[in-house]
Amino acid sequence: MGKRQRRRDRESPQVEPIDMPPLKEGDTFEAGRYRYEVMEMPSLPEQDQAVAVRGIAALGAERLRLLHELDQVDEDLRPRVQTAIAVGVPYRRIAELTGYSRSTLSRWSQPGQTDT
């Protein structure tokens, strides 16, 4: 592009935007001697991804909050479960009350076990 072209671009008058109501699918309009019909734009993958992210963001945040809360409950409950095992409460009864599996309770009853 030469100097003349750049100068012409700089000197071109600014076009005022036309104030039109928003168009909906199926609307028609004329420009010059041509008539146009508004068609639905196909969605782009980025738009589909954004919709999907908006759909899961709130529920995902709620799930993470609940998991954090559950971890805190587990920390408080574990020593009580270990005490119940130590005094002879049956594993089956503890499992019914807490929702832990009997294998988890058995693992917790072994000394030195710190995993969850």
Side-chain angles (χ1 to χ4, degrees), residues 8 10 14 17-18 22-23 27 36 44 47 55-56 75-76 82-83 95-96 104 109 111-113:
R8 241 184 283 140
R10 266 187 266 129
Q14 295 297 322
I18 299 173
L23 298 172
D27 288 350
Y36 296 95
L44 300 173
Q47 292 170 329
I56 63 173
E75 285 180 24
D76 294 341
Q82 289 172 329
T83 302
E96 288 172 357
T104 298
S109 68
Q113 291 294 324

Side-chain angles (χ1 to χ4, degrees), residues 25-81:
E25 182 181 359
D27 288 350
T28 59
F29 64 95
E30 293 182 15
R33 61 181 187 183
Y34 298 102
R35 183 175 194 82
Y36 296 95
E37 182 179 348
V38 178
M39 298 176 67
E40 182 181 358
M41 290 287 296
S43 65
L44 300 173
E46 296 84 13
Q47 292 170 329
D48 294 340
Q49 290 175 1
V51 168
V53 166
R54 279 193 304 270
I56 63 173
L59 288 175
E62 178 68 7
R63 181 179 185 276
L64 291 174
R65 185 191 66 76
L66 290 171
L67 286 173
H68 179 69
E69 190 174 324
L70 183 61
D71 286 342
Q72 291 175 340
V73 169
D74 284 347
E75 285 180 24
D76 294 341
L77 189 56
R78 185 173 180 163
R80 294 177 187 196
V81 167

Side-chain angles (χ1 to χ4, degrees), residues 15 20 25 36 47 73 80 83-84 86 91-93 97 105 107 110-111 115-116:
V15 178
M20 287 182 54
E25 182 181 359
Y36 296 95
Q47 292 170 329
V73 169
R80 294 177 187 196
T83 302
Y91 286 79
R92 180 174 291 184
R93 181 66 177 142
L97 293 171
L105 299 174
R107 211 176 33 239
Q110 298 170 2
D115 64 328
T116 53

